[in-house]
Amino acid sequence: MYQFLKAYGLFLILSGLTPLLLWMTGAISGEGFKDAALITTLWLIPLWWNPTRMRSLSAFIGIGIACLALPGLAYFLVYRQELTQSLMMILFESNQTESQEYLKNYFVWWFAAVFLVYLLVPYQLWRTLQPAQLSRSKALSYSIIAIMLALTSPVKHALQGHWHLASKSIDRHFGATAPFQLIFGYFNYQKQLAEVEGILLSMRKILPLKHLTEQPKPEQTTLVLVIGESTSRLHMNLYGYPRNTNPELTKIKDELVLFDNVYSPRPNTIESLQQVLTFADQLHPDDYKNKPSLIAMMKQAGYFTIWITNQQSLTGRNTMLTTFAKQADRQYFLNNQRQQNAFSFDEKVLTPFAKSLEDPHQKKLIVVHLLGTHMKYDYRYPKTFATFKSDQGLPNHALDDKQVDQINSYDNAVRYNDWILSQLISTLKAKRQHSLLVYFSDHGEDVYDSAPYTFQGRNEATPTLPMYSIPFMVWHSTDWFNRSTVFAGIQTHRQYDNADFIYTFAEMVGLSFDGFKADESLVNAAFLQDNILVGDPFIGKLKPLPGTQQFNANKLALWNPGYLAEH
């Protein structure tokens, strides 16, 4: 048995070192190393059945694992992140010159020393291996145990007939472990890229807006759209929250137009932005399929478009986000993590943002998609931003220590988000261009904010105000062309569904087209306040968001005939 333990150690070093390092550095949870430890037992099965060929089989298996594990180790050494299908999209879509520049910029001499040690230790273990003896009955027993350890979750789903869940379970558990990491990553890259390309092909067939015109601009124009993540305005000092979560934006509050009654249409990123960045809304959820997106509209107006994102780019859930990004003329994908519970600080966006401002195009739109305050909150800010550490400043709701810790982490993430936004604005301001920046969050988050103060997160089936209450603010240069007509004396307290953002943005930047709805533009005098309808529009009845005002009940009745009778 000792020989088998040495072989197990050999395989575990090769397949488990990178997930162990990722865990030790705090980049990801320990789940990856645990999976590696369990899955490595599968490599012992050939040895149990052929113990006399211990050395030759171990060499064959070890070399295969090492060859496919080295890219993941190299990527960790450079970025302290996990190798994923998102990274593969970037690598495979880069040209040869960019790949060569990557190697020149990031490969340093000591990488070779690390690789040598990484290979030398297993080699020394391999040299000590000796042929062993094991009965067939024990080989069978050990093999069954190994398979049960490595495949418990997918087998359970398969026995219940949930083949999709079984497939996802295999991908989740095997996807972080060499050699499956590269194999699964490449397969998922091809699969998800095909889905993105399919949606893009459909979007390219959508007819452009009719009679699109733009008011003349005095000089080179830069538009910036910053999309936050999971950030509730109810935790922002700018909007009355008692804690100082906005020290930087407060300094420039007089330069900001703050709208304080804006709501997201849905409490999840993909579903929300599918409406916010298109002409779809809760009453017409399929319109993103037959009308241009905001990116397409701006490109039609002659803007060079750039998409900078710190969101995961090529996962099953993020296909729609990647599609929006790939509609742009240039993309920067900065978050290649396989799971959300990993560090990818939003300061990553600052360098490509500054670079994008140098772009010489006369008109450009830069979209910056932040990771914001997404769960798990501890992963969203550097330790230097861990400002809130007690219950000071929190409402007295008899919160326990765990709840206080969660709120503190969320508020620290909001404070870091404040710094990121201030950096984007100050960088834009320093360029002294004719420019406008709009920021909103995709949705909010309930962090023990609603009675009975026991829930944290989002649930569309049981909506609460914090899940949908989002910040919405505008900064513009002092010479912005329509500042005196659009922003002067603007009413900032009107109730607004951000699903209609495309009309508001069009008016802010001076676009008009057939089908433009002035009553859906938050900055138009003809704007009519919105009912905030929540729920999944594809499967059930919509209802007003509790805590918001209701306007035009007859309009509600058209969508949900039972509403008036129920109320």
Side-chain angles (χ1 to χ4, degrees):
M1 185 56 67
Y2 180 58
Q3 298 300 320
F4 296 114
L5 288 175
K6 286 194 292 184
Y8 176 80
L10 184 161
F11 298 147
L12 183 59
I13 291 171
L14 293 173
S15 63
L17 178 63
T18 300
L20 177 62
L21 292 172
L22 286 163
W23 179 26
M24 291 174 63
T25 55
I28 62 174
S29 68
E31 190 74 15
F33 180 71
K34 184 195 78 173
D35 288 337
L38 294 176
I39 292 167
T40 296
T41 61
L42 296 176
W43 299 116
L44 294 176
I45 293 177
L47 307 186
W48 289 328
W49 287 96
N50 299 277
T52 58
R53 300 177 59 193
M54 178 79 68
R55 285 171 62 86
S56 59
L57 286 173
S58 296
F60 179 77
I61 295 170
I63 290 171
I65 295 174
C67 289
L68 293 175
L70 279 172
L73 178 59
Y75 190 68
F76 167 78
L77 295 176
V78 174
Y79 287 113
R80 301 295 189 270
Q81 290 183 357
E82 186 180 8
L83 183 65
T84 64
Q85 64 261 29
S86 299
L87 172 68
M88 290 182 185
M89 180 183 70
I90 297 170
L91 293 179
F92 284 119
E93 295 190 4
S94 298
N95 57 42
Q96 186 176 0
T97 302
E98 289 172 333
S99 299
Q100 290 174 349
E101 289 177 353
Y102 176 87
L103 291 175
K104 290 178 182 177
N105 289 336
Y106 294 110
F107 192 87
V108 293
W109 67 269
W110 58 266
F111 282 14
V114 173
F115 295 157
L116 182 61
V117 172
Y118 168 69
L119 297 173
L120 190 58
V121 174
Y123 173 71
Q124 292 299 330
L125 272 174
W126 175 80
R127 289 185 61 193
T128 66
L129 289 177
Q130 299 294 329
Q133 297 293 326
L134 192 70
S135 67
R136 293 286 176 173
S137 60
K138 286 187 177 180
L140 178 61
S141 299
Y142 293 162
S143 299
I144 292 173
I145 292 172
I147 292 171
M148 289 178 63
L149 286 171
L151 298 171
T152 298
S153 179
V155 168
K156 181 183 69 175
H157 289 307
L159 290 175
Q160 295 172 345
H162 301 150
W163 295 102
H164 177 66
L165 293 178
S167 175
K168 288 183 65 175
S169 180
I170 290 175
D171 185 65
R172 183 173 69 253
H173 293 296
F174 282 68
T177 304
F180 305 104
Q181 183 182 49
L182 272 183
I183 298 170
F184 283 29
Y186 182 75
F187 174 79
N188 288 331
Y189 153 71
Q190 293 285 2
K191 176 185 175 183
Q192 289 156 13
L193 190 63
E195 292 178 7
V196 170
E197 293 297 339
I199 299 173
L200 276 174
L201 182 62
S202 298
M203 286 185 165
R204 293 189 188 109
K205 295 178 180 179
I206 296 175
L207 296 176
L209 295 170
K210 292 183 178 180
H211 302 117
L212 177 68
T213 61
E214 181 180 12
Q215 293 174 255
K217 307 292 193 302
E219 53 187 297
Q220 186 178 29
T221 296
T222 299
L223 309 177
V224 179
L225 175 58
V226 184
I227 304 172
E229 165 70 61
S230 302
T231 304
S232 168
R233 69 169 179 269
L234 303 184
H235 279 255
M236 295 181 67
N237 187 230
L238 278 175
Y239 289 93
Y241 187 58
R243 282 180 154 183
N244 187 19
T245 54
N246 297 119
E248 300 303 322
L249 291 178
T250 298
K251 295 175 184 177
I252 59 169
K253 185 175 181 179
D254 291 343
E255 301 177 37
L256 304 174
V257 182
L258 293 175
F259 295 89
D260 59 10
N261 205 7
V262 177
Y263 301 87
S264 62
R266 301 191 66 182
N268 299 296
T269 302
I270 313 303
E271 289 79 2
S272 174
L273 295 184
Q274 194 167 275
Q275 295 187 21
V276 174
L277 298 181
T278 72
F279 286 95
D281 57 30
Q282 287 289 76
L283 299 181
H284 312 91
D286 281 322
D287 276 6
Y288 75 93
K289 298 178 181 178
N290 51 53
K291 294 183 180 180
S293 69
L294 185 143
I295 294 294
M297 177 180 75
M298 299 311 296
K299 290 177 71 172
Q300 184 183 344
Y303 283 79
F304 183 78
T305 54
I306 303 169
W307 190 288
I308 305 169
T309 179
N310 191 30
Q311 293 269 333
Q312 291 173 295
S313 52
L314 205 61
T315 67
R317 270 287 293 165
N318 282 16
T319 300
M320 196 67 195
L321 291 184
T322 305
T323 304
F324 285 135
K326 289 181 75 67
Q327 277 193 298
D329 297 299
R330 182 184 300 154
Q331 306 93 26
Y332 293 91
F333 296 105
L334 306 174
N335 184 347
N336 304 311
Q337 299 286 17
R338 189 172 61 97
Q339 54 185 351
Q340 288 283 12
N341 289 345
F343 292 110
S344 186
F345 298 138
D346 278 331
E347 57 203 59
K348 284 182 177 182
V349 307
L350 299 179
T351 298
F353 178 70
K355 180 179 179 181
S356 298
L357 291 179
E358 299 294 335
D359 184 273
H361 284 86
Q362 184 68 18
K363 301 192 300 182
K364 56 181 176 285
L365 166 68
I366 305 171
V367 180
V368 181
H369 195 182
L370 303 175
L371 198 50
T373 57
H374 193 288
M375 292 188 287
K376 183 179 179 189
Y377 313 132
D378 286 343
Y379 288 103
R380 301 298 162 241
Y381 57 91
K383 291 181 180 179
T384 52
F385 280 83
T387 302
F388 305 105
K389 300 178 181 179
S390 69
D391 61 357
Q392 185 175 357
L394 294 179
N396 183 18
H397 293 320
L399 300 167
D400 61 34
D401 291 343
K402 183 179 179 181
Q403 291 172 324
V404 170
D405 287 343
Q406 283 278 68
I407 297 172
N408 285 340
S409 295
Y410 186 72
D411 288 350
N412 288 331
V414 174
R415 190 177 174 109
Y416 177 62
N417 188 69
D418 171 79
W419 180 77
I420 294 294
L421 276 173
S422 71
Q423 292 296 303
L424 292 171
I425 293 173
S426 63
T427 303
L428 178 60
K429 188 192 306 185
K431 295 302 295 181
R432 298 185 181 277
Q433 296 177 347
H434 181 249
S435 54
L436 174 138
L437 179 148
V438 180
Y439 165 73
F440 58 78
S441 184
D442 55 358
H443 53 76
E445 192 98 337
D446 196 321
V447 192
Y448 308 111
D449 297 304
S450 305
Y453 312 109
T454 57
F455 180 80
Q456 178 259 325
R458 290 163 276 118
N459 185 351
E460 193 165 49
T462 55
T464 63
L465 204 62
M467 298 177 193
Y468 296 83
S469 301
I470 59 172
F472 190 112
M473 63 186 72
V474 180
W475 176 92
H476 59 75
S477 57
T478 55
D479 63 343
W480 186 248
F481 79 105
N482 62 5
R483 67 192 184 282
S484 60
T485 55
V486 169
F487 293 108
I490 187 70
Q491 297 182 45
T492 58
H493 308 300
R494 299 184 291 187
Q495 186 167 287
Y496 180 64
D497 180 355
N498 207 34
D500 299 322
F501 174 73
I502 199 166
Y503 298 106
T504 297
F505 190 69
E507 183 151 11
M508 286 180 178
V509 303
L511 299 182
S512 62
F513 47 84
D514 287 1
F516 177 81
K517 299 178 181 179
D519 61 331
E520 301 288 15
S521 169
L522 185 56
V523 294
N524 193 291
F527 172 72
L528 297 177
Q529 298 192 72
D530 292 321
N531 293 299
I532 308 304
L533 304 179
V534 297
D536 186 340
F538 295 102
I539 64 172
K541 296 184 295 184
L542 299 178
K543 60 183 178 181
L545 175 64
T548 59
Q549 289 182 275
Q550 297 176 35
F551 305 94
N552 191 1
N554 290 326
K555 185 176 181 181
L556 281 176
L558 291 175
W559 176 248
N560 176 6
Y563 175 78
L564 292 180
E566 295 169 4
H567 295 76

